Amino acid sequence: MTEEKISRIAHAIVEDALSEFGEASVLERACRRLLEAGVPLVRFNASQPVLHPTIGGYLNLWTRDGGGIKTESWLRASQEAGTDFSRTPFYKLIYQKADSLRYPLFGFSGYGCFPLLEKLQQDGGTDYFALRISLGTGMSLGPARIFLTSWATDRPRGFEDWHLEVIKRIAQTLALVIKTSSNQQIGRNVVRAYLGKNAAETVFNGQIERGAGHSIRAALWSSDLQGFTKISDEVPRDQLLNMVNDYFECVVDSVHRYGGNILKFMGDGVLAVFNKGSDALSTCAAAHAAEHLRRQITRLTTARRDKGLPATGLYLGLHLGEVHYGNVGSPNRLDFTVTGPAVNELSRIEGMCRKLNRDIVISEAFARSLTVESIKLASLGSHELRGVREPKELFSLESFGTLLC
C-alpha cells in the first residue's frame, strides 16, 4: 500500500472523529476502510483503562460479520477484563510491557494458555497481532496511559508484512482520536461524580464564573448520621469509613430514585434538592425519597448490627423555598451549590430532629405544598429556629401509603 493511501485512511479517521460520529462508529468505519484497502481483517479489538469511580475500562470489539462494534466494560475493583484477563495476550502486553505480540495461528498448536487464540483458530483465524501504544502524561487523564489493540485475519498464511506496517500506522491514529474522545468522556464522568449530573451539565454548558447561576424554587433536603461524633471517637477509621459509605449509598439511591440532585457531602451530612417544576411535584418527590430512605436505613442498620458492625440512624430535614443555584467561592476555587435564607432555615430544621426525637422533620412550607393524601404528617407545634425571625410550625412524617416505585 502506498504512503498516500495510508495517509488518506488516517485523514478519514480524523475527519470522522471531528464530525458527529461516536467512538464506536469511528472504529467500525476505520476497520471497513482497511478492509477495502486490502488489509484482510476478520476481528479487531481496542481496549483502554479509564478514570471512573466504578468502571476500570472499556473494550470495543469488531468482527467482519458481526454487524458493528460491541462495547463492554469491566469493573474498577476487578482485575479481570472478560472471563479471565490474566489468560489474554493483552495481559501479557501490559505486565510484560511488550510493544507488540504476534501469534501465527495456521499450523500451530499449544495456545492453551490463551483461550482466545484457541477460539480464533477454531473459527478459522490464521494470524493474531496485538499492539501496546504508550501515551504521554499530556494525552491522559488519570493513571491510564496505554491504548491496546488486537487484529486478526483468516487469510491463508496470515498477515503479510505490509499489512502489519499499515496496522501499526493506523493504530497510532486511532490511539490519538480515541484517547481524545475518551478524555472528554472521562472529564464528564469525573465532573458528574463530584458535582452531580444536573450541576455538571450546567457547568458543561458554560456557567463556570463566580456568581453564575439562577434562582430556583425547590424542595430542600439536609440529612446527617445520628450520634456520628460519638461513633467516630469509638470506631476504627476503616470501619467508620465503610459505615459512612453504606449510609451515603442509601441516601444517594433514595434521592436519585425520585429525581433529586445531590449537591454536597459535608462530613456525615448530605445536601440535596428536588426541582420538579412545581411545589407539589417537588415536595411529593422529596417525601417519597424520604420514606424510601427510612425503609432502606432500617434494613441497613439491622443488617450491620446482625454482623456486629457499627450502625446508627439518620436525621433528615425537609424544606421548600427559593434559592440561588450556581457558583460560589473565590474566582479560582468554586463550589456549585444552593445558597440563600431557605438553606439556612433548612439547617435549623434538620437540627430540630435531635431536640424533637424525630428522624424526619418537615417545615410548614413543605407540608402545605404536599398534596398527596396518602402521606400523613403530624404537627410538632411551633418552634423558634436560630436565626429565623418568627417561630415556625414543624411536622413529622408519620405514615406513608404505597411508594410510587
Side-chain angles (χ1 to χ4, degrees):
M1 184 182 294
T2 65
E3 183 69 25
E4 180 182 356
K5 286 185 178 180
I6 297 174
S7 297
R8 201 178 301 148
I9 294 172
H11 181 69
I13 292 171
V14 173
E15 282 190 329
D16 284 349
L18 293 173
S19 69
E20 296 298 320
F21 291 108
E23 183 174 307
S25 293
V26 170
L27 292 173
E28 181 184 3
R29 289 165 67 87
C31 291
R32 293 297 175 188
R33 286 192 174 97
L34 287 171
L35 270 178
E36 292 168 2
V39 179
L41 294 178
V42 70
R43 182 184 186 275
F44 163 79
N45 186 8
S47 176
Q48 59 179 327
V50 296
L51 183 62
H52 188 280
T54 59
I55 296 172
Y58 293 96
L59 61 85
N60 292 284
L61 178 64
W62 173 89
T63 55
R64 190 174 58 206
D65 303 319
I69 291 284
K70 295 179 181 177
T71 301
E72 300 177 6
S73 63
W74 66 90
L75 296 178
R76 184 178 182 83
S78 173
Q79 294 301 314
E80 297 182 354
T83 55
D84 190 352
F85 185 45
S86 64
R87 300 178 67 199
T88 66
F90 276 178
Y91 182 90
K92 190 172 182 179
L93 275 179
I94 294 173
Y95 292 101
Q96 292 189 6
K97 296 185 177 180
D99 292 327
S100 65
L101 295 171
R102 186 180 183 186
Y103 294 101
L105 303 179
F106 62 91
F108 285 81
S109 59
Y111 289 135
C113 59
F114 292 139
L116 168 65
L117 300 185
E118 285 195 326
K119 179 69 165 55
L120 285 174
Q121 280 184 316
Q122 294 169 8
D123 292 341
T126 57
D127 208 349
Y128 175 93
F129 182 61
L131 281 171
R132 178 183 188 271
I133 298 176
S134 298
L135 303 166
T137 55
M139 273 297 296
S140 298
L141 290 175
R145 295 175 185 165
I146 55 173
F147 180 72
L148 305 173
T149 63
S150 69
W151 315 73
T153 184
D154 58 357
R155 174 184 177 273
R157 310 299 296 178
F159 288 119
E160 293 187 19
D161 289 343
W162 73 268
H163 295 150
L164 299 182
E165 287 305 312
V166 172
I167 285 172
K168 290 177 184 177
R169 293 279 300 280
I170 296 305
Q172 290 180 326
T173 302
L174 288 176
L176 286 171
V177 299
I178 298 305
K179 195 59 186 177
T180 300
S181 169
S182 175
N183 281 348
Q184 182 188 51
Q185 188 58 50
I186 286 172
R188 288 182 174 272
N189 290 339
V190 171
V191 175
R192 285 178 183 138
Y194 282 89
L195 293 185
K197 182 179 179 181
N198 282 30
E201 293 303 322
T202 303
V203 170
F204 293 146
N205 289 333
Q207 293 190 24
I208 60 172
E209 295 181 356
R210 181 170 62 170
H214 56 282
S215 292
I216 63 171
R217 187 167 174 82
L220 309 174
W221 167 302
S222 176
S223 62
D224 66 5
L225 298 181
Q226 298 177 7
F228 182 73
T229 301
K230 183 175 184 295
I231 294 172
S232 62
D233 287 338
E234 299 173 348
V235 173
R237 184 181 61 182
D238 290 346
Q239 287 191 30
L240 183 69
L241 182 61
N242 289 335
M243 184 191 79
V244 171
N245 284 336
D246 279 351
Y247 282 95
F248 274 169
E249 189 170 341
C250 289
V251 175
V252 173
D253 173 68
S254 299
V255 170
H256 285 174
R257 181 181 294 264
Y258 290 95
N261 297 297
I262 301 289
L263 294 181
K264 191 185 295 293
F265 295 99
M266 306 165 291
D268 63 314
V270 177
L271 177 65
V273 297
F274 293 78
N275 180 24
K276 309 294 285 185
S278 73
D279 289 356
L281 290 176
S282 296
T283 54
C284 178
H288 275 82
E291 179 61 18
H292 183 270
L293 175 63
R294 175 185 270 171
R295 300 178 188 187
Q296 292 284 86
I297 292 297
T298 298
R299 285 193 286 266
L300 174 62
T301 299
T302 300
R304 289 185 62 86
R305 284 176 176 159
D306 287 346
K307 295 176 182 178
L309 298 173
T312 184
L314 202 96
Y315 290 132
L316 169 62
L318 295 172
H319 188 31
L320 177 73
E322 193 93 10
V323 293
H324 178 265
Y325 181 67
N327 294 304
V328 297
S330 71
N332 297 313
R333 176 60 179 91
L334 298 169
D335 189 14
F336 201 99
T337 187
V338 288
T339 54
V343 180
N344 298 331
E345 190 169 335
L346 171 68
S347 176
R348 307 296 181 245
I349 293 166
E350 193 261 324
M352 292 297 292
C353 290
R354 302 161 183 78
K355 181 177 179 180
L356 299 173
N357 194 29
R358 293 289 191 277
D359 61 339
I360 300 174
V361 173
I362 296 170
S363 75
E364 180 179 356
F366 188 104
R368 299 305 180 211
S369 297
L370 193 58
T371 59
V372 181
E373 293 183 0
S374 61
I375 302 176
K376 304 301 181 184
L377 306 181
S379 176
L380 298 172
S382 294
H383 298 270
E384 293 186 356
L385 303 176
R386 184 165 57 88
V388 179
R389 184 175 302 175
E390 299 176 353
K392 300 290 184 179
E393 186 176 8
L394 301 177
F395 296 81
S396 63
L397 183 60
E398 293 299 312
S399 62
F400 208 102
T402 303
L403 288 171
L404 294 177
C405 57

